[in-house]
């Protein structure tokens, strides 16, 4: 709990062990809030949802819901004001990228998370396993937040981070593009360069449509006509002149790890 003047023990010297313990606890809490200990998990506050606010899941394949958190189970996973809510039994994992996991492998780490407002902390040695978070939620459970720190630490509240910074971190793994308009340049290609390089060449989720400059809709571009690289989308246009372009109301570029 944060320090409050009313916590001072009446009639006891200010330098008593009881009061010094309160000061020590508060300094530890403030060091975390000030960045002295940053969350090693991206989107641990479960605020960034690029794929939608309510996502159906199944028991056969991993589905990413809140960015960086993948789920298996039944029903839906929904964004709520205090975290991530499930409608059925759901397994939730966080798989850390190998470059990031190498920083903590072999070290003592602490995982704290809040489920339905109750905080649990686990302290363990990071073995050779990039999956650092794996729990099962029951119907109507809410996962509020998750924090991973190096060392033996207990966290009783989420470590704050701006939404903009969290979204920027997520962009290496998933990007939402709305109202894409790209005109053909040369060799019947239209290119869109990404603001952030992605982990791997992403998969395009959604449709891209080909048009003439006169506005004629020439239909959805086939998957075979779309290629991606870590820094761009390349679309093959069938028109033979420069007066063609491609557009999409909304697409998702997915570079997450499903293995």
């Amino acid at each position: 709990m944060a320090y409050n003047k009313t916590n001072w023990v009446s009639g006891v010297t200010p330098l008593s062990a009881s009061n010094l313990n309160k000061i020590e606890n508060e300094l530890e809490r403030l060091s975390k809030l000030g960045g002295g200990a940053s969350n090693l998990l991206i989107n641990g506050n479960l605020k960034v949802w690029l794929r939608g606010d309510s996502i159906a899941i199944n028991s056969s394949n991993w589905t990413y819901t809140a960015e960086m958190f993948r789920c298996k189970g039944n029903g839906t996973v929904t964004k709520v004001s205090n975290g991530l809510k499930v409608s059925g039994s759901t397994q939730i994992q966080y798989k850390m990228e190998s470059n990031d996991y190498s920083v903590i492998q072999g070290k003592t780490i602490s995982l704290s998370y809040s489920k339905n407002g109750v905080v649990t902390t686990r302290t363990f040695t990071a073995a050779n396993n990039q999956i650092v978070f794996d729990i099962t939620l029951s119907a109507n459970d809410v996962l509020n937040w998750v924090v991973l720190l190096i060392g033996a630490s207990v966290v009783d509240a989420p470590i704050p981070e701006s939404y903009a910074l969290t979204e920027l971190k997520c962009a290496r793994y998933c990007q939402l593009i709305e109202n894409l308009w790209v005109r053909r340049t040369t060799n019947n290609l239209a290119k869109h360069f990404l603001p952030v390089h992605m982990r791997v060449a992403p998969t395009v989720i959604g449709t891209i449509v080909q048009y003439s400059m006169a506005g004629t809709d020439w239909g959805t571009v086939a998957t075979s006509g779309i290629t991606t690289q870590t820094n761009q989308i390349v679309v093959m246009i069938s028109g033979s002149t420069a007066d063609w372009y491609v557009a999409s109301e909304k697409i998702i570029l997915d570079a997450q790890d499903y293995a």
Side-chain angles (χ1 to χ4, degrees), residues 66-210:
E67 286 313 313
M68 309 304 297
F69 288 79
R70 63 187 197 178
C71 300
K72 273 185 182 179
N74 57 77
T76 58
V77 177
T78 303
K79 179 181 181 181
V80 291
S81 60
N82 60 339
L84 173 158
K85 184 175 182 178
V86 302
S87 67
S89 179
T90 303
Q91 181 185 5
I92 299 182
Q93 285 188 349
Y94 185 109
K95 186 174 183 181
M96 187 175 283
E97 188 175 355
S98 59
N99 290 334
D100 294 329
Y101 193 80
S102 64
V103 175
I104 65 172
Q105 187 169 351
K107 296 181 179 180
T108 298
I109 56 176
S110 297
L111 178 72
S112 297
Y113 61 91
S114 173
K115 181 177 73 171
N116 302 324
V118 177
V119 178
T120 299
T121 297
R122 305 173 185 168
T123 299
F124 54 95
T125 300
N128 187 21
N129 183 356
Q130 293 167 238
I131 299 171
V132 295
F133 180 74
D134 189 342
I135 66 169
T136 298
L137 301 180
S138 300
N140 298 316
D141 277 348
V142 176
L143 181 65
N144 309 117
W145 51 265
V146 189
V147 173
L148 183 71
L149 299 174
I150 293 178
S153 301
V154 176
V155 177
D156 59 4
I159 295 175
E161 181 176 85
S162 71
Y163 184 93
L165 179 57
T166 303
E167 189 175 50
L168 182 61
K169 292 179 181 180
C170 292
R172 175 169 169 79
Y173 307 92
C174 183
Q175 294 184 33
L176 167 64
I177 299 179
E178 297 183 278
N179 299 317
L180 170 68
W181 297 85
V182 186
R183 187 175 179 181
R184 173 188 176 275
T185 53
T186 59
N187 301 322
N188 288 356
L189 299 179
K191 296 183 178 182
H192 174 76
F193 293 92
L194 305 177
V196 175
H197 280 242
M198 306 195 74
R199 183 183 69 89
V200 295
T203 299
V204 175
I205 302 173
T207 58
I208 298 177
V209 180
Q210 178 177 313

Side-chain angles (χ1 to χ4, degrees), residues 24-38 159:
E24 186 180 58
N25 291 340
E26 181 65 3
L27 288 174
E28 181 181 0
R29 187 186 74 88
L30 291 174
S31 72
K32 292 182 172 67
L33 297 180
S38 59
I159 295 175

